Amino acid sequence: MPDTTLADLAHEVRSKNAGPFWVTMEVFLRDAEGYRIAADESFLNERVIAELYRVAESTVQVFRIPSLNVVKISFPRPVSQGSLRDRDMHAGQHHVPLARLAVRRDDR
């Protein structure tokens, strides 16, 4: 059986530009059970995001919003928006590694 991913638990996983220097990602979970898994600090935390996106752990911000079943994550863009090396001006594709994050069987 294939691994369950964070995207499987969510209505939507999206990323967006949060100004020229930040990326914000949001995970809108389908239900309280999905939120329980995604909001668990042993599953999704600053270290995990830092490894997925190759950013400094100290720069990652994770916000858990239980009343909405949402987890929001922000971190500095690897390059400034619109700079010569910017490959995703609107940060619209940054969510893919997060969406593909496998949910461990013991987390379910």
Side-chain angles (χ1 to χ4, degrees), residues 6-14 26-32 34 68-70:
L6 196 53
D8 294 326
L9 304 177
H11 284 294
E12 183 175 13
V13 181
R14 69 181 182 193
E26 298 161 328
V27 183
F28 295 87
L29 287 307
R30 293 183 186 280
D31 53 30
L68 300 174
N69 289 340
V70 171

Side-chain angles (χ1 to χ4, degrees), residues 51-63:
E51 289 174 5
L52 278 177
Y53 292 95
R54 298 183 185 133
V55 296
E57 183 177 341
S58 62
T59 66
V60 176
Q61 300 174 358
V62 179
F63 305 93

